[in-house]
Amino acid sequence: MYEINETHDPNLKSWVESANDPNTDFPIQNLPFTVADTSDSAIDGGWSRYNIGVIIGDCFLNLDACSEAGLFDTIADAEDWFNESAIYSLAAIPGSARSRLRSRLVQLLSEDATADERTVVERNLHRCDEIRILGTPLNIGDYTDFYCSIYHATNVGSMFRPDNPLLPNYKYIPIGYHGRASSIVISGTDIKRPRGQNRSDAEKPPVFIPAKNLDYEMELGFFVGKGNELGEPINISEAEEHIFGVCLVNDWSARDMQAWEYQPLGPFLSKSFATTISPYVVTMEALAPFRTPAFERDPDDPQPLEYLSDEQNQKLGGLDINLEVYIQTEKMRNENIEPHLLSRSNPKDLYWTIGQMLTHHASNGCNLQTGDLMATGTVSGKEKSERGCLLEMTWRGTEPIDLPSGEQRRFLEDGDEVIMKGFCEREGFRRIGLGECRGRILPAD
Ligand code: MN
């Protein structure tokens, strides 16, 4: 796990003015990775070249170009990390090597940069609104979704099994399923309402119709950095060394399809039509000031089995990130009504840590690969205002939500936009954010 160091100093200021705005998600203490098309014709969609970079304030710093200009010559092997179509080599290196890059970037972007350095950096700095941000710097090979909020699992379980909400495995296993990587899309991509089987009338056969109960799930995602060999599990004490960073995830879910298909093998087409992610990878090092203890288990709960137990994980395995979900309907957009806050939740309330999820995933010898995406499952808290999906918020559609436009929602309607945000705040540290994850529902064909 990363230590708090000089790159987290709240007094650090950047010569990139927008990075010093107290409300920015991207101060010099953050520096998340992304990929952008920085060619002149990017806006017209013409000839393009994709570049790896970091976000600072409202700008994108092209790291490929900085590397070519020799700015990372003092870092061993750094020339091998850039000018590739993805960021595999940088994601897969030990965290300590990535740490040296972060430290160099902070120096180059801080007020302490020399005039010469600043000139070279400035040449490779682009305003985000003048280029095309393409999103994740990794091609996602595999995607796994967990179910690690005990509040979410208990709420959903009690709707379907009132007498037995939490299944006996829940407190022993970080429950998950294999998702679909090909349908992961970047924030801003429209989502077409899927068609599928609906059997709301138990007396009749199912019908194949546009999904009626379309929902979002507010989740935290994390990317695998260094992978493991097939047959070689990952020790819990080394789990964090395999995590590159985090993003926001919206696991769109068609609840009517899910209710009919999920037994006996779990969700399938009710989830695989689309998953939206935010376009930046916030590194584990940037998150160092925002680590929390693992979930405090009830004294009657079992302790995790030994392969999922670790002192450091217990002490600092949690993540304190404020997650927010907003909705803006078509009517709200037309009437210029601001997006409406639906919920606030925090992954520090998850029953399992991301280290435990990763270790469990590889515990049978399954090989995780650089760029794989894992998501925590819907992040819900104890309170009603902390429910991370509409299924829970409206209690399966029985308690509709009132919107400022006078409309009501049980589930998502065509034209609705869901906007997710994430940010970290802690006394004595600079606020950092994860950016946004948004998507609008289009009608089925
Ligand atoms: Mn999910």
Side-chain angles (χ1 to χ4, degrees), residues 226-422:
K226 188 174 64 173
N228 60 306
E229 294 295 323
L230 186 63
E232 303 286 334
I234 295 170
N235 195 292
I236 180 75
S237 64
E238 282 153 24
E240 295 251 347
E241 197 35 42
H242 293 263
I243 301 175
F244 179 44
V246 306
C247 67
L248 300 170
V249 174
N250 182 348
D251 176 23
W252 302 98
S253 301
R255 301 302 184 188
D256 44 342
M257 289 162 59
Q258 188 180 355
W260 171 233
E261 76 174 4
Y262 87 105
Q263 284 176 325
L265 286 182
F268 183 35
L269 303 186
S270 57
K271 302 277 192 174
S272 62
F273 59 95
T275 306
T276 304
I277 61 173
S278 57
Y280 319 108
V281 183
V282 173
T283 64
M284 296 312 290
E285 187 167 11
L287 291 165
F290 311 103
R291 303 309 300 259
T292 60
F295 188 85
E296 196 180 333
R297 292 187 170 214
D298 195 274
D300 297 334
D301 283 2
Q303 286 307 303
L305 297 187
E306 203 180 326
Y307 78 101
L308 295 174
S309 296
D310 173 68
E311 202 182 319
Q312 185 72 358
N313 176 74
Q314 190 56 40
K315 225 165 76 185
L316 288 172
L319 281 163
D320 183 359
I321 304 175
N322 302 288
L323 302 177
E324 295 179 341
V325 185
Y326 296 81
I327 188 171
Q328 192 180 38
T329 67
E330 199 168 338
K331 185 169 186 231
M332 290 167 72
R333 264 193 310 281
N334 292 338
E335 295 176 4
N336 287 319
I337 302 173
E338 292 289 300
H340 173 72
L341 178 71
L342 291 172
S343 70
R344 283 199 172 100
S345 59
N346 194 312
K348 71 175 196 261
D349 294 328
L350 294 172
Y351 198 77
W352 299 98
T353 66
I354 59 172
Q356 287 171 320
M357 293 177 218
L358 180 124
T359 295
H360 180 67
H361 200 317
S363 64
N364 64 346
C366 168
N367 50 329
L368 308 179
Q369 296 182 300
T370 304
D372 286 356
L373 177 68
M374 297 188 192
T376 57
T378 307
V379 180
S380 292
K382 206 186 281 183
E383 306 301 325
K384 245 182 149 172
S385 60
E386 297 175 320
R387 293 176 177 172
C389 64
L390 289 174
L391 177 70
E392 277 175 89
M393 283 192 75
T394 70
W395 210 256
R396 225 178 165 178
T398 59
E399 299 168 22
I401 296 163
D402 292 313
L403 299 177
S405 51
E407 299 169 285
Q408 282 195 329
R409 282 294 179 272
R410 292 179 163 81
F411 289 99
L412 298 171
E413 303 286 337
D414 294 342
D416 288 356
E417 184 167 37
V418 177
I419 305 147
M420 299 176 166
K421 298 182 187 192

Side-chain angles (χ1 to χ4, degrees), residues 143 145-146 177 217 219 251 253 271 377-378:
Y143 163 48
D145 194 21
F146 286 89
Y177 68 94
E217 291 189 338
E219 307 197 11
D251 176 23
S253 301
K271 302 277 192 174
T378 307

Side-chain angles (χ1 to χ4, degrees), residues 206-227:
V207 287
F208 186 75
I209 55 171
K212 283 186 170 165
N213 298 346
L214 194 55
D215 200 355
Y216 60 82
E217 291 189 338
M218 172 78 254
E219 307 197 11
L220 183 74
F222 57 101
F223 287 98
V224 173
K226 188 174 64 173

